[in-house]
Amino acid sequence: MIQPTPIPTHWYNITADLPVPPPPHLHPGTREPVTPEDLAALFPSELIAQEAATEQYIEIPEPIREAYATWRPAPLIRAYEFERALGTPARIYVKYEGVSPVGSHKTNTAVAQAYYNSIDGVTKLTTETGAGQWGSALAFACAKFDIELDVWQVAASYRTKPYRRHLIETYGAKVHPSPSPLTETGRKLLAEDPDTPGSLGIAVSEAIEIAASEPNTRYALGSVLNHVVLHQTVIGQEAVEQLRNAGEENADIVFGCAGGGSNLAGLAFPFIREVLHGRAKTRVIAVEPAACPSITQGEYRYDHGDLAGFTPLLKMHTLGQDFIPDPIHAGGLRYHGMAPMLSHTVELGYVTGQAIDQREAFAAGVLFARTQGIVPAPEAAHAIAAAAEYARGLTKPEVIVIGLSGHGQLDLPAYQAYLDGDLEATS
Amino acid sequence: MIQPTPIPTHWYNITADLPVPPPPHLHPGTREPVTPEDLAALFPSELIAQEAATEQYIEIPEPIREAYATWRPAPLIRAYEFERALGTPARIYVKYEGVSPVGSHKTNTAVAQAYYNSIDGVTKLTTETGAGQWGSALAFACAKFDIELDVWQVAASYRTKPYRRHLIETYGAKVHPSPSPLTETGRKLLAEDPDTPGSLGIAVSEAIEIAASEPNTRYALGSVLNHVVLHQTVIGQEAVEQLRNAGEENADIVFGCAGGGSNLAGLAFPFIREVLHGRAKTRVIAVEPAACPSITQGEYRYDHGDLAGFTPLLKMHTLGQDFIPDPIHAGGLRYHGMAPMLSHTVELGYVTGQAIDQREAFAAGVLFARTQGIVPAPEAAHAIAAAAEYARGLTKPEVIVIGLSGHGQLDLPAYQAYLDGDLEATS
């Protein structure tokens, strides 16, 4: 067993260490850098401050650390049997976030966002969710900090993937299929097509519409933004320390899946910190699905985070705000853009993108389950597949770290479809 | 955060410390104490030895400890927010087994049983499963130790609860609905009623029938027997140490759910060890469902572990081998008997039974989820309900330990039914 480290006391802000500051977000109307006032209708003051923070470390308030203590520090596991199955000389370590109450890394930012909203007197939050990872994480956090929560879930998922909806409701939050008759955006779309499957972009627009129109209500986003990435750095800080407890000086290479980017950035930025300070030469691979390849196929430019264009303009790798990815099972990777902070580190050369097709991801997920026991979330299986391919090609030992962002117990029908040969390569 | 302890190096055998030895198992034909030879067709030699072991500690072989290291030590969590919600002066600690790869404590014995079978040259195992907790745990373990596995799953669960079946198949094992056309028992029952929902007793009989008839094939049981209880004592050994790391001398009272009894016994026996050695006065409550109250309503006598009478006669609290409990959602508690070792400690006065109705269990489960974040397995929710009732009644501080045997993420439709008011008190 690798000795655990203490829960980090601070979040790590890579902005302070980068040679070039990240480009600012722009106001969607004026195309000028957004001001804190511009964001005040959507986010509480402390999160707005974190969005533009320049200090290297930001202290984690005690109530958030108490919440983290329910599942953190998350384990770093040496994947001996997976190594043997691959026939690799590599030493492979897996940082496992599936031990959180909802089974994914999303809780790391959910409890922080709920806390900061609660101390600002916010009594209700709104958000969107696809398959439900983020919706359930925020529902857990809102129950903890006594905040009402309304979640707009993409209608196709609402109808076909009920488990995470049940989870959200068990935590006491409300779930609406999106588009819904509760918003202008939703009513317009339902009038055009009452059976529309919806999209994440539509759900964001509905959640923002309600947040902007009701008193003491704010909106919460589960990835992409700087403050979200910041909160996720507890993952990488723990992993850097745990790796040393395991007797390794440094990682040679880090693999993580990247949808909105916060999972990979949270794992990788503390490793890149070691690189920036000359203490390591770790490479970082952002693994994205072939069906939604924003880093490897997208443009690096200003774009909106949502379909309707309500969000600030973000400088990021994007496939375009109206890009609709194939319905792959890794719902958490079906996002047209990429966290601006992660895109920035790609541009600076610290992170490289790699696209993996869905069947390759499930094949790696099944091998990982059969050797290590943990069934990975389909999102994380993409990172495992890329790491496995790399490890198989090695002729001398290297230290590989894989981000295992969550378990796949609520994605088992997708595994069954893969085993039954019913899965398309990209959909 | 409570500092974790090392993974135990030994299992604790309470037989060595009890003032009276437990009654032996009897041969179903002769009613004489079973011999190792009687059991050789079903179990590997080391497990047969453990079934009758008298030494106080039995060393855990290194390959099993390596497997345990994937998820052990399991966390002990101080449930601050649950305490506040209950308005109790108690300090409540929760020992959480849901971090295992399949989400329950069943893996603790599954990896041990698969390992001992593998070193005996066994190449195939058979077993039964209800909702699938045990079947998925053994499938994980068999994948780890390269053993083929066939699982007979109660037909009603096979049809209506597909997720754990998918999990079993993801690990590479085969699942058959029980009754199946593969056995004489099954063919006979299917001829009478092709649509029969099946039962655990039937599934046991089918698994034993195949194990006894195929070469290098043995049978594995997920609860009840002494060797299963023994393996589960890693839970309680860790909890006793972790409680001390948290600054508590001892637990005043321990609550755990009891179906076949191995979860509760595994948690409680190391606490009872402290009582037997005069170091504590801890009481232990075995919480069973009102729909299947073997301790509180059953008789203490010799009975079979299965419907067909293939198993040895076991001295235990039983509702009768042909008792069919209502279809409550806590499938893991729907067993007519109780682990003989646990029944023996009940008779000696170290453990007390308590029955909880299903709606009360779900109410406690929802409160626990909304305060602590973890959605408990419906089985574990019974223990939480009993502990909550006790804690609410306290006027001065006590230390309460609750066994949280698994998470309820694959039981979310049952939570939804509870929230929607569609749940019967006992079915």
Side-chain angles (χ1 to χ4, degrees):
Chain A
M1 184 214 164
I2 299 165
Q3 284 306 309
T5 56
I7 299 166
T9 55
H10 293 71
W11 292 301
Y12 168 61
N13 180 15
I14 198 171
T15 301
D17 287 339
L18 288 174
V20 183
H25 309 334
L26 303 184
H27 189 282
T30 64
R31 299 188 71 98
E32 292 295 315
V34 287
T35 63
E37 295 70 37
D38 293 335
L39 298 171
L42 291 184
F43 301 113
S45 52
E46 195 60 38
L47 294 180
I48 294 170
Q50 289 177 4
E51 194 61 23
T54 53
E55 59 267 52
Q56 192 184 20
Y57 286 98
I58 294 172
E59 192 171 359
I60 305 174
E62 188 52 38
I64 299 174
R65 296 187 70 213
E66 191 196 294
Y68 282 171
T70 307
W71 74 94
R72 307 210 70 85
L76 184 78
I77 300 161
R78 172 78 184 270
Y80 289 104
E81 291 188 52
F82 188 58
E83 292 170 13
R84 288 194 279 266
L86 294 173
T88 177
R91 299 191 292 284
I92 300 179
Y93 295 86
V94 172
K95 179 65 175 173
Y96 183 43
E97 292 292 314
V99 293
S100 94
V102 303
S104 83
H105 68 291
K106 291 287 186 186
T107 42
N108 297 325
T109 186
V111 294
Q113 293 191 44
Y115 169 74
Y116 286 122
N117 274 286
S118 76
I119 59 170
D120 256 22
V122 172
T123 55
K124 179 174 168 180
L125 281 172
T126 68
T127 198
E128 74 292 329
T129 200
Q133 299 262 22
W134 167 241
S136 56
L138 191 62
F140 150 65
C142 284
K144 204 164 196 71
F145 293 104
D146 264 334
I147 296 176
E148 197 186 337
L149 173 67
D150 275 31
V151 179
W152 275 262
Q153 182 172 28
V154 175
S157 292
Y158 181 93
R159 290 177 203 139
T160 62
K161 297 184 174 177
Y163 275 61
R164 285 208 184 86
R165 169 161 60 85
H166 298 329
L167 186 53
I168 296 170
E169 295 187 354
T170 298
Y171 288 130
K174 281 202 211 82
V175 188
H176 311 288
S178 169
S180 76
L182 303 169
T183 66
E184 208 167 306
T185 312
R187 283 189 293 272
K188 195 174 148 226
L189 290 158
L190 287 172
E192 290 167 12
D193 177 7
D195 297 323
T196 174
S199 79
L200 214 45
I202 296 165
V204 175
S205 299
E206 290 196 88
I208 291 181
E209 191 181 316
I210 296 294
S213 68
E214 292 190 5
N216 291 324
T217 302
R218 296 286 182 281
Y219 167 73
L221 191 65
S223 188
V224 182
L225 295 178
N226 299 349
H227 67 266
V228 181
V229 167
L230 180 77
H231 302 155
Q232 295 293 358
T233 59
V234 291
I235 304 173
Q237 290 185 77
E238 288 177 5
V240 166
E241 290 302 314
Q242 287 167 319
L243 204 58
R244 288 188 184 138
N245 290 351
E248 306 288 1
E249 258 182 68
N250 285 300
D252 290 297
I253 189 162
V254 173
F255 291 88
C257 62
S262 69
N263 163 62
L264 173 70
L267 172 64
F269 283 2
F271 283 97
I272 297 175
R273 176 192 65 196
E274 302 304 290
V275 175
L276 290 164
H277 288 270
R279 296 190 289 260
K281 294 185 173 178
T282 309
R283 283 165 299 152
V284 174
I285 311 296
V287 187
E288 52 187 20
C292 194
S294 38
I295 295 176
T296 54
Q297 304 281 329
E299 292 176 79
Y300 183 57
R301 64 171 170 85
Y302 274 102
D303 195 10
H304 284 286
D306 69 327
L307 182 72
F310 288 168
T311 70
L313 285 161
L314 308 170
K315 186 82 180 275
M316 61 183 177
H317 292 91
T318 177
L319 296 158
Q321 69 190 85
D322 54 357
F323 179 81
I324 305 287
D326 282 349
I328 54 167
H329 286 284
L333 304 183
R334 294 180 67 239
Y335 186 69
H336 69 277
M338 189 53 64
M341 197 62 92
L342 182 61
S343 285
H344 185 55
T345 57
V346 169
E347 290 301 304
L348 294 177
Y350 299 109
V351 178
T352 308
Q354 180 181 350
I356 288 285
D357 101 39
Q358 151 159 289
R359 277 195 299 229
E360 201 183 330
F362 276 97
V366 168
L367 179 63
F368 192 82
R370 290 184 183 178
T371 50
Q372 296 298 131
I374 298 164
V375 178
E379 291 83 359
H382 285 73
I384 294 172
E389 185 187 292
Y390 180 83
R392 280 194 179 103
L394 288 177
T395 52
K396 58 184 183 49
E398 284 194 22
V399 175
I400 297 176
V401 172
I402 306 174
L404 186 43
S405 55
H407 68 61
Q409 295 211 1
L410 300 188
D411 305 285
L412 285 164
Y415 274 91
Q416 189 72 49
Y418 168 76
L419 294 171
D420 294 345
D422 293 338
L423 211 62
E424 301 289 321
T426 56
S427 69
Chain B
M1 186 214 163
I2 299 166
Q3 283 306 310
T5 57
I7 299 167
T9 55
H10 293 70
W11 292 302
Y12 169 62
N13 180 12
I14 197 171
T15 300
D17 287 338
L18 287 174
V20 183
H25 309 332
L26 303 184
H27 189 283
T30 64
R31 298 190 70 100
E32 292 295 315
V34 289
T35 64
E37 295 70 36
D38 294 333
L39 297 172
L42 291 184
F43 301 114
S45 52
E46 195 59 39
L47 294 180
I48 294 171
Q50 289 177 5
E51 194 61 21
T54 54
E55 58 268 52
Q56 192 184 19
Y57 286 98
I58 294 172
E59 191 170 0
I60 305 175
E62 187 52 38
I64 299 174
R65 295 187 71 213
E66 190 196 294
Y68 282 169
T70 306
W71 74 94
R72 305 211 70 84
L76 184 78
I77 299 160
R78 171 80 185 269
Y80 289 105
E81 290 189 53
F82 189 57
E83 292 169 15
R84 288 195 278 265
L86 295 173
T88 177
R91 297 191 293 282
I92 300 179
Y93 295 87
V94 172
K95 179 66 175 171
Y96 183 45
E97 293 291 314
V99 294
S100 94
V102 304
S104 82
H105 68 290
K106 292 287 185 186
T107 43
N108 296 326
T109 186
V111 294
Q113 293 191 43
Y115 168 74
Y116 287 121
N117 274 288
S118 76
I119 59 170
D120 255 22
V122 172
T123 55
K124 178 173 167 180
L125 281 173
T126 68
T127 198
E128 75 293 328
T129 201
Q133 299 262 21
W134 166 242
S136 56
L138 191 62
F140 150 66
C142 284
K144 201 163 198 73
F145 292 104
D146 264 333
I147 296 176
E148 198 185 335
L149 173 66
D150 276 30
V151 179
W152 275 262
Q153 182 172 29
V154 176
S157 291
Y158 181 92
R159 291 177 202 137
T160 60
K161 297 182 174 178
Y163 275 61
R164 286 209 184 84
R165 168 161 61 85
H166 298 330
L167 185 54
I168 296 169
E169 296 188 353
T170 297
Y171 288 130
K174 282 202 210 83
V175 187
H176 311 288
S178 170
S180 77
L182 302 169
T183 66
E184 208 167 306
T185 312
R187 284 188 293 271
K188 195 174 148 226
L189 290 159
L190 287 172
E192 289 167 14
D193 177 7
D195 297 322
T196 174
S199 78
L200 215 44
I202 296 165
V204 174
S205 299
E206 292 196 85
I208 290 181
E209 191 181 318
I210 297 293
S213 68
E214 293 190 5
N216 292 324
T217 302
R218 295 288 181 281
Y219 167 72
L221 191 64
S223 189
V224 182
L225 295 177
N226 298 350
H227 66 266
V228 181
V229 167
L230 180 76
H231 302 155
Q232 294 294 358
T233 59
V234 291
I235 304 172
Q237 290 185 77
E238 287 177 4
V240 166
E241 290 303 314
Q242 287 167 318
L243 204 57
R244 288 188 185 139
N245 290 351
E248 307 288 0
E249 258 183 66
N250 286 301
D252 291 296
I253 190 162
V254 173
F255 292 87
C257 62
S262 69
N263 163 62
L264 175 70
L267 171 65
F269 284 3
F271 283 97
I272 297 175
R273 176 192 65 196
E274 301 303 291
V275 174
L276 289 163
H277 288 271
R279 295 190 290 260
K281 296 185 171 177
T282 308
R283 284 167 298 152
V284 174
I285 311 296
V287 187
E288 52 187 21
C292 194
S294 38
I295 295 177
T296 53
Q297 304 280 328
E299 293 177 79
Y300 182 57
R301 63 173 170 85
Y302 274 104
D303 195 9
H304 283 287
D306 68 326
L307 182 73
F310 289 169
T311 71
L313 285 161
L314 308 170
K315 185 81 180 276
M316 61 184 176
H317 291 90
T318 178
L319 296 159
Q321 68 189 85
D322 54 358
F323 179 81
I324 306 287
D326 283 348
I328 54 166
H329 286 284
L333 304 182
R334 294 181 67 240
Y335 186 69
H336 69 277
M338 189 54 64
M341 198 61 92
L342 182 61
S343 286
H344 184 54
T345 57
V346 169
E347 289 302 304
L348 295 177
Y350 299 108
V351 178
T352 308
Q354 178 180 349
I356 288 286
D357 102 39
Q358 151 159 289
R359 276 194 299 226
E360 202 182 330
F362 275 96
V366 168
L367 179 63
F368 192 81
R370 291 184 183 178
T371 50
Q372 295 299 132
I374 298 164
V375 178
E379 292 83 0
H382 285 73
I384 294 171
E389 184 185 293
Y390 181 83
R392 280 195 179 102
L394 289 176
T395 52
K396 56 182 183 51
E398 284 194 21
V399 175
I400 298 176
V401 173
I402 306 175
L404 186 44
S405 55
H407 68 61
Q409 295 212 0
L410 300 188
D411 305 284
L412 284 165
Y415 274 91
Q416 189 72 51
Y418 168 76
L419 294 170
D420 294 346
D422 292 339
L423 211 64
E424 301 288 321
T426 57
S427 68

